[in-house]
Amino acid sequence: MVFNYGYLTWEWTERLRGYTYPLIFASIYKILHLLGKDSVQLLIWIPRLAQAFLSAIADLRLYSLMKQLENQQVARWVFFCQLCSWFTWYCCTRTLTNTMETVLTIIALFYYPLEGSKSMNSVKYSSLVALAFIIRPTAVIPWIPLLFRHFWQEQRKLDLILHQFLPVGFVTLSWSLIIDRMFFGQWTLVQYNFLKFNVLQNLGTFYGSHSWHWYFSQGFPVVLGTHMPFFIHGCFLAPRRYRILLVTVLWTLLVYSMLSHKEFRFIYPVLPFCMVFCGYSLNHLKTWKKPALSFLFLSNMLLALYTGLVHQRGTLDVMTHIQELRYNNPHKSAASIFVMMPCHSTPFYSHVHYPLPMRFLQCPPDLTGKSQYLDEADIFYLNPLNWLYKEFPNNSTMPTHLIIFSVLEEEINAFLISRNYERTAVFFHTHLPEGRTGSHIYVYERKLKGKLNRR
């Protein structure tokens, strides 16, 4: 979109993703490029800072809403719960569509006609919901009970639909169609493609499936973390008008439970709803308030710091090493990289900012209905050594650098020795290795002469 190089994953070639959300960051990249300030560090940090800024605006909107509905004291406790949530810290700076979905959901709630709200505006909240739907179509799931409630309580129902909902939907959908037409080169309704793949065909199961109860038994408790007892306590204390928020949370968990492919981040948008009840709980605590605050803060901050700074950091550190191959070693401009890890383990060109030849193991789902389908990554892991010898039959096709998890080293050691690869860098990744993911990441560089110097 900006630099005329990069990599498009299968979601883009199959038109499951729209350009509306990436256009935000592409515009920032373009401005930096025109100003000659498009350093790799800015390309990495600017999107994170932009997303963090939007998340901060959403948090302030949540505080303002609770201040309107209750008082400053309750608003402060809700705000505290939101800010010290480990999962909020883990997600709020990430440029995931789920993060933007959460941001738009919170701001839309600020304008939603809740009893006692002074900022209700049907056009504004429906516009934000429509934008969230454009970015990630499943964003409409939490809003279904809220929209039905608004429609049920609205006196002028026909006016609400004809003069507010339909015009807003038409404008936002038209905006999405035009943007995607510009980049795809043809008229594409990506929202339909997304829902067809993930909901109607349920093909997301290719990337893993869980039991129907996973969100209730694992997903929701993990996301809520140590806020869970305060959430349950707050559910019994909160006024009746907040029942719709609890219904929304339960509805969202139930709907997502019907889909086989489940992830923690999918339910991130309802986490701020839960903080309303957690804040109520803290507001009603008397004797145990200070210990409860200390417990919440310390337990969440320790987890936030660990997951944000330590856990699975190797995939970021190794990309810093790769970018240095170009910027600190100009004579290595002919380098080529092959990431032999589970697909999408590392960032890609945004963390290198140079058209370095790079490749990773592919994992597109089967869209043709073949039985016993295996993607490239699955085939590789069935017999890595045999796959490598077949893929690289002679030295002329060999990449200069291989990136692997530590668990793979012993299995492909014969290939590494026969092709004169030497381990040149080691990066810590996780204390909890499992399956194809190792505790460390190794970088191997091919030496034209000399023997391997094992480290």
Side-chain angles (χ1 to χ4, degrees):
M1 294 174 71
V2 178
F3 302 110
N4 297 319
Y5 69 89
Y7 180 83
L8 287 177
T9 59
W10 67 270
E11 294 98 331
W12 294 96
T13 57
E14 295 296 327
R15 300 192 293 277
L16 265 68
R17 305 291 187 195
Y19 281 91
T20 302
Y21 182 48
L23 192 60
I24 298 173
F25 306 109
S27 300
I28 297 174
Y29 281 0
K30 189 64 176 181
I31 293 171
L32 292 174
H33 180 58
L34 292 174
L35 295 175
K37 300 295 183 181
D38 54 320
S39 67
V40 66
Q41 291 302 320
L42 283 179
L43 295 189
I44 292 172
W45 283 99
I46 289 290
R48 298 180 188 178
L49 293 173
Q51 189 64 68
F53 177 72
L54 293 173
S55 296
I57 292 176
D59 290 342
L60 289 173
R61 280 291 187 232
L62 181 62
Y63 171 79
S64 299
L65 175 62
M66 293 311 300
K67 191 175 178 181
Q68 291 178 20
L69 299 177
E70 299 297 333
N71 52 59
Q72 188 172 13
Q73 186 175 349
V74 174
R76 277 198 338 228
W77 295 129
V78 173
F79 194 52
F80 171 81
C81 290
Q82 172 72 359
L83 291 185
C84 79
S85 165
W86 80 271
F87 199 74
T88 296
W89 280 83
Y90 184 72
C91 292
C92 69
T93 62
R94 298 189 173 209
T95 52
L96 302 168
T97 53
N98 306 95
T99 304
M100 194 61 182
E101 174 190 353
T102 304
V103 167
L104 294 172
T105 295
I106 298 176
I107 301 176
L109 191 65
F110 177 77
Y111 297 108
Y112 181 78
L114 284 170
E115 183 183 343
S117 174
K118 301 174 183 177
S119 55
M120 58 182 71
N121 187 310
S122 298
V123 173
K124 287 184 178 180
Y125 101 76
S126 58
S127 298
L128 291 164
V129 172
L131 181 57
F133 173 78
I134 293 301
I135 293 173
R136 189 173 181 87
T138 50
V140 75
I141 292 174
W143 281 97
I144 290 176
L146 290 164
L147 290 169
F148 269 111
R149 175 188 176 275
H150 184 192
F151 178 77
W152 181 262
Q153 294 184 341
E154 179 63 44
Q155 298 296 322
R156 302 169 63 185
K157 292 179 172 57
L158 192 61
D159 182 68
L160 178 68
I161 294 176
L162 295 179
H163 296 99
Q164 296 183 40
F165 287 173
L166 285 181
V168 165
F170 176 78
V171 170
T172 51
L173 191 59
S174 298
W175 170 258
S176 173
L177 285 169
I178 292 170
I179 290 177
D180 291 331
R181 173 69 175 81
M182 291 170 58
F183 290 99
F184 284 123
Q186 57 184 329
W187 294 107
T188 305
L189 189 59
V190 295
Q191 292 75 28
Y192 170 74
N193 294 339
F194 182 92
L195 290 172
K196 179 183 177 182
F197 179 88
N198 289 286
V199 180
L200 300 179
Q201 297 179 329
N202 202 22
L203 292 176
T205 54
F206 180 79
Y207 295 106
S209 59
H210 297 83
S211 302
W212 67 268
H213 57 77
W214 185 82
Y215 279 119
F216 292 96
S217 60
Q218 297 181 53
F220 187 63
V222 168
V223 168
L224 211 51
T226 52
H227 285 74
M228 179 62 82
F230 302 96
F231 169 71
I232 295 173
H233 183 224
C235 288
F236 291 101
L237 296 173
R240 184 184 181 91
R241 65 173 175 270
Y242 295 117
R243 188 176 295 174
I244 183 61
L245 300 184
L246 182 58
V247 169
T248 299
V249 172
L250 294 174
W251 161 263
T252 302
L253 295 177
L254 284 170
V255 172
Y256 275 117
S257 294
M258 297 177 187
L259 302 176
S260 298
H261 181 58
K262 300 174 176 66
E263 294 187 36
F264 295 111
R265 61 188 175 95
F266 292 170
I267 58 173
Y268 179 37
V270 297
L271 183 60
F273 291 39
C274 301
M275 296 307 156
V276 173
F277 299 97
C278 295
Y280 252 95
S281 174
L282 289 179
N283 188 60
H284 281 76
L285 290 179
K286 303 300 178 185
T287 307
W288 293 94
K289 181 170 288 187
K290 286 186 177 180
L293 293 175
S294 299
F295 169 71
L296 268 179
F297 180 79
L298 291 175
S299 61
N300 280 275
M301 285 303 100
L302 288 173
L303 194 55
L305 290 172
Y306 179 76
T307 55
L309 300 177
V310 179
H311 183 57
Q312 296 184 344
R313 65 166 297 129
T315 50
L316 293 176
D317 293 338
V318 75
M319 294 311 291
T320 300
H321 177 76
I322 295 305
Q323 71 176 250
E324 290 171 355
L325 291 177
R326 164 62 183 169
Y327 289 94
N328 295 342
N329 301 283
H331 63 282
K332 290 188 177 181
S333 58
S336 56
I337 314 297
F338 187 16
V339 182
M340 297 192 300
M341 299 156 71
C343 64
H344 308 304
S345 291
T346 66
F348 221 47
Y349 283 104
S350 64
H351 282 57
V352 177
H353 194 30
Y354 183 78
L356 199 67
M358 294 198 297
R359 175 187 173 187
F360 62 90
L361 295 170
Q362 301 292 312
C363 59
D366 176 31
L367 301 175
T368 60
K370 294 180 181 178
S371 60
Q372 305 299 318
Y373 171 79
L374 292 174
D375 60 40
E376 183 182 43
D378 287 332
I379 296 172
F380 169 80
Y381 279 105
L382 285 176
N383 193 331
L385 189 60
N386 185 54
W387 188 93
L388 285 169
Y389 279 124
K390 287 183 177 180
E391 186 72 14
F392 304 109
N394 55 68
N395 292 336
S396 63
T397 59
M398 295 297 302
T400 61
H401 294 76
L402 302 177
I403 302 175
I404 64 172
F405 276 122
S406 52
V407 292
L408 187 64
E409 183 184 45
E410 184 176 351
E411 197 166 355
I412 64 169
N413 191 51
F415 176 83
L416 296 172
I417 294 174
S418 66
R419 294 296 192 268
N420 292 328
Y421 278 100
E422 178 183 331
R423 191 201 302 170
T424 56
V426 178
F427 300 96
F428 168 79
H429 184 62
T430 179
H431 292 108
L432 305 169
E434 61 174 345
R436 299 172 180 176
T437 303
S439 61
H440 290 76
I441 293 175
Y442 296 158
V443 178
Y444 274 85
E445 182 177 350
R446 188 163 182 265
K447 304 297 183 180
L448 297 180
K449 294 181 180 181
K451 297 181 180 180
L452 286 176
N453 179 24
R454 292 296 178 192
R455 299 186 181 185

